[in-house]
Amino acid sequence: KILAVFVIMLQLPGLRYPWILNGMLFGAAVGAGFAAFESAGYALVSLIGSGQLDVDGAITLIFLRGALAPFGHVVWTALAAGALWRVKRDRKLSPAMLVDLRVLRILGLVIALHAIWDYGFTLPFLLKYVALGVLAWLLVLGMITSGLKQIKATQATAAVGGSSLPQATALQPMVPP
């Protein structure tokens, strides 16, 4: 999924989307699309896999996967893409950014979360998925905080005549310290 984000965004100018929050948004969108296609595939297998049409099973599966989607592929891909944008900043994407240690650490964490998600043990009332989702969202909230600090620091630098900002950010009011 991170490669999909990379390929899609490769053609955009570097300065246009320099923020960690941009990367997280692009990652979440790709993750949501992936989750939708994967859910459709599982529903199709549920529907016709046994040789009989199991409409109720397919519908139940779609609703369950829809309820769990914000705790899985959406948040995992947002984390990975946010890590890539943390490295990218205002430069054009390059393949070397994918193997930066800061990206690989988050990617390894995301892969571990996904592996635990898929591992065969279960806990009552979907507790495993909720616990993994809460952990992923805590990581996302930390990355959002980093993204907001990135914007605030750039605004402060621009206010004293430092670096230039993309116009949309430059127009945002400064928050007093």
Side-chain angles (χ1 to χ4, degrees):
K1 293 177 297 223
I2 192 66
L3 290 176
V5 173
F6 182 84
V7 169
I8 291 167
M9 303 312 295
L10 198 55
Q11 302 306 315
L12 295 176
L15 191 57
R16 179 136 184 220
Y17 300 105
W19 313 113
I20 293 169
L21 299 177
N22 294 135
M24 293 181 73
L25 180 61
F26 296 137
V30 168
F34 179 86
F37 276 105
E38 186 180 58
S39 294
Y42 282 130
L44 181 62
V45 168
S46 174
L47 185 64
I48 62 174
S50 65
Q52 299 176 355
L53 288 179
D54 184 9
V55 175
D56 290 338
I59 290 172
T60 299
L61 183 65
I62 289 289
F63 275 109
L64 177 61
R65 289 187 60 85
L68 292 175
F71 303 106
H73 291 293
V74 174
V75 69
W76 298 331
T77 314
L79 281 168
L84 179 60
W85 254 252
R86 188 180 296 172
V87 172
K88 174 193 168 298
R89 305 240 354 153
D90 62 349
R91 300 175 292 161
K92 189 167 178 69
L93 279 172
S94 75
M97 293 174 182
L98 289 169
V99 294
D100 185 285
L101 198 53
R102 295 169 288 179
V103 174
L104 292 177
R105 273 195 302 255
I106 296 294
L107 195 55
L109 183 62
V110 166
I111 290 169
L113 288 171
H114 196 311
I116 295 167
W117 184 283
D118 287 345
Y119 190 70
F121 77 91
T122 57
L123 296 172
F125 305 110
L126 305 171
L127 188 60
K128 173 176 78 169
Y129 305 115
V130 172
L132 290 170
V134 167
L135 176 60
W137 272 99
L138 289 173
L139 294 169
V140 162
L141 292 174
M143 192 169 285
I144 288 171
T145 301
S146 293
L148 293 172
K149 287 178 182 177
Q150 176 193 32
I151 292 171
K152 186 174 180 180
T154 307
Q155 287 175 329
T157 302
V160 294
S163 69
S164 63
L165 292 169
Q167 186 174 358
T169 305
L171 296 175
Q172 297 298 317
M174 291 292 294
V175 177

